[in-house]
Amino acid sequence: MSSAVDEDTARAINTGRETLGAMLSSVQTHLQKVFIVFVIGFIGSFYALRVFIWDFLKQTAKAEMSPYIADSTELITRTPFEVILLQAKIGMLVGIVVAVPALLYFSRNKLRKRGYDTIVPISRSYIAGFVLTAITLFCLGVVYAYAVFFPYTFDFLAGNAVSAHVKPSFGITEFTEFIALLTLSFGLAAQLPLFMGVLSYTEIVPYETFRDKWRHAIVGITIFGALFSPPDPFTQIMWATPMVGLYIISLSLAKVVANIRRRGAAESDGTGTDHMKRVVLRFVGVLAVVAIGTGAFVNQGGFDYLGEAVYPSLPAWLQPGPEGPFGLESLAAEHGLLGEAAVGLTIAAGVGVLILFAYTIKVLQAPIYPREGAIRTAESPDDVDFEMLTAEDVEEVPASVFLQMKEEQALEVSRQAMYDDNREKAQAILNRFDSLQDQQAEDGTTGDGESAALTQTDDGGATEEEEGSFLAGTAAGMLDPFTEEETTEDDIGGYAYDIAFILNSLTSKMFRIVGVFMLVMGGTFFWLYQGGIGQILTTFLHRVPESILHEVAVRNGVDPAGMTLQELITEMDIVIALHPVEVLIFEVKVSVIAGIIASLPLVLYYGWPAMKERGLVRGDRRIFVVWGGSLLGGFAFGTYLGFFWVAPAVISYLVSDAIANGMVVSYRISSFFWMVIFTTLGIGFLFNIIVTMALFHVGGIINYRTMLRRWRPAVVGIFTVAAIASPKGVLTMLMVAIPIALTYMLGLGVLYILTGGGRLFGGSGGGGSGEQNDADAAATEGDTGTDTGSGPQPDPTT
């Protein structure tokens, strides 16, 4: 029996195992040294976190916050060992990271003996330059994260939480994970120029691929950001925007290195390495002059001059604050000479970014030299960039390209070569065009000696056009089963076709449906963002006794005398957010749910004719309007009862009971407001059970007497479904099943009163009445053991 693993795979596995064994043997020899490096990394990061890193992270998060929001924002721990365990985890990770290079260094001799050397000779200077560039780019990404992204992001997130009357009490674990993941993502994303430049230079991924697939690149950047950053729109935009700009800059770098690679490093026509070195030196020189000049300007009282002569003439919205533009004036004043140098470097960095973008635009507008061999595979004049060709390259262009050109095109290309002072290339283009045109006129063949068009085969068979028609007809016949309606429905299934048919019918109404969804979602989000959560919180806690509210205020060090009820509730701070984006994500989720609920009736209403045509529904859609309106009214009435009666009573009782027992109440916003939703929208859904029971009775689907007779199976079914659907044990099952079962029983009582015991409003006809009642009665008699067959029956009195 042959092995499932081929010889090459087995050899690769054995080689890898031997290499790993060599490294492990080095570990045994140098285990003490590697362990010392690990311990140094572990202890160093452990104490660095305790000494200054935690404080640095807090200062970064609060750098752009107003004093009120900064005082309201806290970092909390939920377990006694949370901080020390977190420090230990980070220390172990750092220790492993610093120990791996040491392991590779001590294993270098073993690896060299195994023959792990690169085929392409790479000098140490190139390796050092590559590593230095990678480290520099990583540091630039981290600087952007801590100088721009984190301060403004935390200001927005904490301000959003405070405006919603939610205390931003970020858990230390969630806070650290948020910062660590984003720091890593920015550092890795900053490697994009190096990554694209290397791939383009080596032609592993040519520049044309990066250029043509820019849409895919943007989608990839967004997906990469979604993996490392929180899933909220604001953070996604702040993450993706600089990355898209970095991709554009990387694209220009890829174009420059691709031209250098394809034309050769010895060229001096503006694309060689010597030219690039001069460009880099000029760029660095300009930035140095700007930095030195700005520092000298600030040192000689430049900010005073700006404040007296320039700032007053600016519009109000352009005038800087008391700290100067972007806080540079206060930076120079606080740190003296170092501050002035920092201001100079900051301005130079801004100028450098502008120059870089300008150079990027210039490079992207310049032509790209074709890849090696790409000229010989061109099929039309559009596939050849004649501006980048040399005179020798003109001979490699396929004859079909020149045969498809018009005389005006050939003259224009030649004229452009003359403008570039390349007479040899201009003459080569005209000579090749004229010779091929003359040759085609003489014998109807191309310059390569091949027939321009196959007119007829030797045996009088089909022409090329006929062959193409035959192939096209064959392809069309192969595609017929997928294009004909009857075959498609049979092949892909009726349900899939039904869904596609219904969705196509909604195309003309999609603007209204999407408009309603966006309007409701946007309005809900705007209301929640502008303090709607705080209004809900005030409404639900107004039943808490004032004595309890006064007690909480005294605990918080606030004098409750003269405070209003809303002010007392605000001082409670009972709702907190542990994750920085928890409030924002909750607002987005609730807004999306509201949009779906609002747009779903429109989808059903506009899709009714298509569903009726496909045989999925019957009757007039006005019936749907009546039923939908009844259910919507019931849902609205139930939600009203929940919002103004049930939820305030339940939540106020829970809060009062906790505070009365001396507890500090801090509910997570996700837990607290999902409880709010369950006690408001949940009441609306429960009330719809009663409405649905009434509609079933009136519509003749299931009458009241059948519902009453089958109450036991109905209740058992409710508990069974709750046991399967509830995610968290018996208690959750009871909390879901008991209210639904009680609502069903309440619905039976309401129907008994409204229908006169099932005799009114459809109680005597259709769907469960009349013959159905007789059948139910017969079934009941059968259940009791009564013989309903033919023949003499015993006298009941005997």
Side-chain angles (χ1 to χ4, degrees), residues 209-232:
T209 302
F210 290 120
R211 179 194 61 193
D212 299 336
K213 303 297 183 181
W214 64 271
R215 296 178 180 87
H216 302 80
I218 292 178
V219 173
I221 288 172
T222 305
I223 295 175
F224 182 81
L227 295 176
F228 286 93
S229 63
D232 66 277

Side-chain angles (χ1 to χ4, degrees), residues 82 116 149 236 254 482 709 721 769:
E82 187 174 14
Y116 282 90
F149 184 83
Q236 284 286 328
F482 301 97
R709 188 177 299 111
V721 172
S769 59

